Amino acid sequence: MPVYEYLCDDCGPFKDLRPMAECDDPQNCPHCETMAPRVILTAPNFFCMPAEKRKAHAVNERSTHAPQTLAQYKASHGPGCGCCSSGKTVKDKSSSDRKKPARLMTKTGSGAKGFPTARPWMISH
């Protein structure tokens, strides 16, 4: 169960452990027994989160208000970026020189080729 924060008008802030189904309900103050509304006084503990997840949250938060333009996206992914560029060049209708990632290919001892990332559910011929 999560810990929620409440603010009593007479006694001040307090915390209580409540079920998520009751997150918006007011809670009795432990000192004066009056009903106190739920408030958010402290920021979430993002410092405990792994760096990759923290970065993903930041990117997601930025994109909700104003998505990146193509120029901003290209500026953040420079030449040699592993997610956008690779060795092969493919002709496309919209661009004359687009980069396509190289396809992973494996070979068995008998010389049979396999493409493990293409369609893993298919059996090679």
Side-chain angles (χ1 to χ4, degrees):
M1 283 193 293
V3 176
Y4 295 108
E5 298 175 319
Y6 298 90
L7 183 61
C8 177
D9 292 333
D10 299 327
C11 306
F14 66 94
K15 296 179 182 180
D16 193 21
L17 189 69
R18 306 271 315 259
M20 290 178 69
E22 301 172 7
C23 68
D24 293 328
D25 298 341
Q27 176 66 10
N28 287 332
C29 175
H31 303 291
C32 65
E33 300 288 325
T34 60
M35 295 300 277
R38 181 176 163 223
V39 293
I40 300 174
L41 300 173
T42 58
N45 294 329
F46 285 123
F47 65 89
C48 298
M49 194 180 298
E52 298 84 18
K53 197 169 186 179
R54 202 171 39 245
K55 183 178 177 185
H57 278 285
V59 168
N60 193 22
E61 183 65 26
R62 276 195 312 270
S63 68
T64 59
H65 304 295
Q68 284 184 338
T69 64
L70 184 59
Q72 290 170 331
Y73 180 78
K74 285 183 178 181
S76 66
H77 292 270
C81 175
C83 69
C84 307
S85 61
S86 175
K88 287 188 174 183
T89 303
V90 174
K91 297 288 183 186
D92 191 3
K93 293 177 187 174
S94 61
S95 175
S96 60
D97 291 326
R98 285 203 185 238
K99 300 277 184 176
K100 182 178 178 183
R103 195 167 173 188
L104 180 63
M105 182 180 72
T106 59
K107 285 190 177 183
T108 63
S110 63
K113 294 180 185 177
F115 301 96
T117 59
R119 292 185 177 107
W121 61 89
M122 294 183 69
I123 299 172
S124 180
H125 294 81

